[in-house]
Amino acid sequence: MYGETEPAAAAAERTAFRRAEKQYKLYKPLKPKGGRARSKPGGGSGGGLEDLSAVVDFHALLADGGGGGGELPAGIGRRDVAGFDRPVFCFLHRPGFYFIPGALSIEEQCYWIRESLKTFPQPPNRTNLSALYGPISDLFTAAKTEKILVEVENPDGQERSKQNSVGRKSNNFKFLEDSEMQKGEVCRSTAATTLVRKLRWSTLGLQFDWSKRNYDISLPHNKIPDLLSALAKKMAIPAMLSGEEFKPEAAIVNYYGPSDMLGGHVDDMEADWSKPIVSISLGCKCIFLLGGKTRDEVPTAMFLRSGDIVLMAGEARECFHGVPRIFTGSDQAEISALVPQLSAEDDSFILNYIHNSRININIRQVY
């Protein structure tokens, strides 16, 4: 975590949660001078040889009849909710955690993948790129047309990238075609396709300030899109008390590349932890770790696939959780069902992106 002292960081390495992260993490091959590449010991190499037998697979339980009254493994239960038409699993020792496998249809998955790349990074929504480049409009369109983001001089001749009154970068960048670039001009430039690959998060609704770790209501924002809000309200039902309704006010969209991971953490910035976080998985399969209230408790590993939804409410909100790896490649990513829906020429960029990426949309009620 940020700001850890050396002893604290060393202690974290010895926790049960950290050991599980290292067990499942995808390690890049080491390339010693003059030798062949070899995998780092103590973790997955990406070659499919690692032991995944302890990872809970809710889709396999469904296929075996576990979603319809059949016998379930020890510690796993079903949550029957009147009027909710999807199977819901839970862990008996983790109250407030619910797993809805295959909650979204293939068409719904593709719709939200498109929105996550086309719409959700649009200003006034902030992204991890905002601090460096300021608001970036139409990033997805620029990437599809292979444009380049170029730093330009202000019309009044002020210094490039001058900070505004609140310390954020002024928007001194614009997209250009390669042919529009002045030969010999010295300036900072980045291909729009590269920027899409550098996307790590975007924020919807109330904007989260990562530096202060709170919601900044003074930042410009739009409300959560109506369709996303309606979906979150519907999917939150298994985690809500009878008669209560989930009120989506903010969302964080996480973008994972092939070797990205999300370290163990607790989502504790919302005022009311009884309300769930509705977490939607899209794209490549991943391993999700659900631990306890300390890092010393051994976490449970489970597969999350495109279209799965996880709910974390009540006591589960106090549990450490994270994503130590995603699976890429046609044999492990398990996105073949998405390909026919994304095969049109207009979706070619999205299909190329999602072949080795995962998107997670997690929606929250802040107040």
Side-chain angles (χ1 to χ4, degrees):
M1 300 298 288
Y2 298 112
E4 279 186 341
T5 62
E6 189 68 26
E13 290 291 316
R14 297 193 293 269
T15 66
F17 199 99
R18 181 57 178 154
R19 287 195 296 271
E21 288 179 322
K22 294 178 73 173
Q23 176 184 353
Y24 294 115
K25 181 180 178 181
L26 176 66
Y27 287 98
K28 294 180 180 179
L30 301 176
K31 295 183 179 179
K33 291 183 179 179
R36 293 183 301 172
R38 60 186 178 87
S39 297
K40 182 177 178 179
S45 66
L49 301 178
E50 58 271 30
D51 183 7
L52 302 177
S53 60
V55 183
V56 178
D57 189 337
F58 287 107
H59 284 255
L61 292 182
L62 274 180
D64 292 340
E71 187 174 348
L72 292 172
I76 297 178
R78 283 181 294 267
R79 172 91 158 106
D80 296 320
V81 183
F84 195 79
D85 60 355
R86 292 165 174 80
V88 182
F89 292 98
C90 59
F91 292 109
L92 303 182
H93 67 300
R94 294 285 180 246
F97 178 87
Y98 304 102
F99 193 110
I100 312 172
L104 301 183
S105 68
I106 298 300
E107 291 76 12
E108 289 174 310
Q109 293 171 47
C110 292
Y111 175 82
W112 292 116
I113 290 170
R114 293 186 186 100
E115 287 295 285
S116 296
L117 292 172
K118 292 181 177 181
T119 307
F120 294 166
Q122 286 279 74
N125 298 337
R126 299 167 74 228
T127 75
N128 60 296
L129 305 175
S130 301
L132 185 59
Y133 301 103
I136 301 178
S137 297
D138 302 319
L139 172 59
F140 177 80
T141 301
K144 283 183 62 177
T145 54
E146 299 184 346
K147 290 188 176 181
I148 301 169
L149 189 69
V150 179
E151 186 179 21
V152 297
E153 296 284 1
N154 285 332
D156 56 5
Q158 293 178 359
E159 182 182 348
R160 287 175 177 171
S161 298
K162 185 176 180 180
Q163 291 187 334
N164 62 23
S165 58
V166 292
R168 297 187 178 90
K169 294 286 186 182
S170 299
N171 190 13
N172 300 329
F173 294 84
K174 68 177 182 179
F175 285 114
L176 297 176
E177 303 278 358
D178 186 53
S179 59
E180 297 177 289
M181 298 282 290
Q182 296 294 322
K183 289 186 177 181
E185 181 182 4
V186 178
C187 61
R188 285 199 294 162
S189 62
T190 307
T193 52
T194 300
L195 292 175
V196 170
R197 284 295 177 185
K198 288 184 176 181
L199 262 180
R200 289 298 174 266
W201 54 264
S202 60
T203 47
L204 315 181
L206 294 175
Q207 298 292 287
F208 190 78
D209 189 324
W210 294 89
S211 62
K212 298 178 181 177
R213 286 189 56 77
N214 63 17
Y215 291 93
D216 188 344
I217 61 174
S218 69
L219 291 173
H221 63 275
N222 297 326
K223 68 174 185 176
I224 297 287
D226 289 341
L227 285 178
L228 185 61
S229 179
L231 175 63
K233 288 179 180 179
K234 178 181 178 181
M235 292 299 165
I237 290 174
M240 300 294 292
L241 295 175
S242 178
E244 287 192 353
E245 183 180 68
F246 182 61
K247 300 176 182 177
E249 294 172 312
I252 298 174
V253 186
N254 294 311
Y255 305 85
Y256 294 79
S259 59
D260 288 341
M261 63 174 290
L262 181 64
H265 66 285
V266 175
D267 294 305
D268 56 1
M269 292 298 106
E270 291 74 37
D272 185 355
W273 290 5
S274 69
K275 302 302 186 293
I277 289 177
V278 180
S279 182
I280 303 170
S281 287
L282 301 166
C284 292
K285 181 178 70 176
C286 76
I287 288 180
F288 179 80
L289 294 178
L290 175 66
K293 295 182 182 180
T294 74
R295 297 178 189 271
D296 294 321
E297 295 187 53
V298 178
T300 300
M302 67 201 81
F303 290 120
L304 270 176
R305 294 177 173 85
S306 191
D308 292 343
I309 288 180
V310 159
L311 308 176
M312 296 183 72
E315 288 188 34
R317 289 292 301 270
E318 303 177 55
C319 293
F320 281 89
H321 56 281
V323 176
R325 74 173 292 178
I326 73 166
F327 295 87
T328 59
S330 57
D331 57 334
Q332 291 187 311
E334 299 188 23
I335 59 168
S336 59
L338 301 175
V339 174
Q341 295 289 328
L342 296 173
S343 294
E345 183 178 352
D346 193 49
D347 284 328
S348 60
F349 184 89
I350 293 175
L351 181 59
N352 181 62
Y353 177 90
I354 211 63
H355 263 300
N356 60 0
S357 303
R358 173 180 182 257
I359 299 171
N360 168 238
I361 309 171
N362 52 90
I363 306 109
R364 299 121 183 275
Q365 179 172 328
V366 178
Y367 300 111

